[in-house]
């Protein structure tokens, strides 16, 4: 690549490559097309797919990849990222989950079940013992 300029991509361009048929990642300011590596990735393809559309450097570094894994990245290199297209700070938004209502089941039903279930198990055990002893 000496004397040859690499292609520069914006984050918006890279973000379009975010599925199993076409997966690109941004790591250390470089863009990698890891589509052919999805099936071979030891952590599975979901790990790579979840890192698309953002700067995946922290995700990559947090795992602690081997030197051979880092060397392997060269074959997937497609260009550089336009660093001005990467937001300097991304605001964390927690995943949307429905509110869990602990008081969904009335308390008296729980108390009744706490009494009846052990009583049922005891009755079942006595019945099995009585039935097997009579033969």
């Amino acid at each position: 690549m000496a004397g040859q300029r690499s292609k520069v991509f914006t984050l918006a361009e890279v973000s379009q490559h975010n599925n199993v048929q076409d997966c690109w990642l941004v790591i250390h300011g470089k863009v990698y097309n890891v589509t052919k590596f999805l099936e071979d990735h030891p952590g599975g393809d979901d790990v790579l797919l979840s890192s698309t559309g953002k700067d995946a450097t922290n995700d990559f570094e947090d795992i602690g990849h081997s030197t051979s894994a880092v060397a392997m990245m060269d074959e997937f290199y497609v260009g550089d990222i336009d660093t001005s297209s990467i937001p300097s700070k991304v605001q964390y938004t927690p995943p949307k989950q429905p509110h869990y209502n602990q008081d969904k089941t009335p308390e008296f039903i729980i108390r009744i079940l706490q009494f009846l279930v052990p009583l049922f198990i005891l009755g079942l055990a006595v019945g099995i013992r009585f039935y097997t002893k009579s033969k």
Side-chain angles (χ1 to χ4, degrees), residues 27-83:
I27 302 170
H28 295 297
K30 296 182 179 180
V31 179
Y32 299 94
N33 181 351
V34 295
T35 308
K36 293 178 182 174
F37 186 64
L38 287 175
E39 290 182 15
D40 298 329
H41 187 261
D45 60 354
D46 288 340
V47 175
L48 296 176
L49 290 169
S50 68
S51 296
T52 60
K54 64 178 184 176
D55 184 352
T57 302
N58 289 339
D59 296 344
F60 182 81
E61 291 299 325
D62 286 346
I63 301 301
H65 287 86
S66 65
T67 53
S68 61
V70 174
M72 186 188 297
M73 292 171 59
D74 288 341
E75 68 183 89
F76 302 109
Y77 174 80
V78 291
D80 293 320
I81 190 75
D82 178 5
T83 53

Side-chain angles (χ1 to χ4, degrees), residues 84-97:
S84 65
S85 68
I86 298 176
S88 58
K89 184 176 183 182
V90 178
Q91 182 178 355
Y92 174 73
T93 53
K96 300 208 181 334
Q97 297 177 345

Side-chain angles (χ1 to χ4, degrees), residues 12-25:
E13 291 172 320
V14 175
S15 297
Q16 294 173 2
H17 306 272
N18 60 1
N19 57 60
V20 179
Q21 290 82 26
D22 188 20
C23 181
W24 289 18
L25 297 177

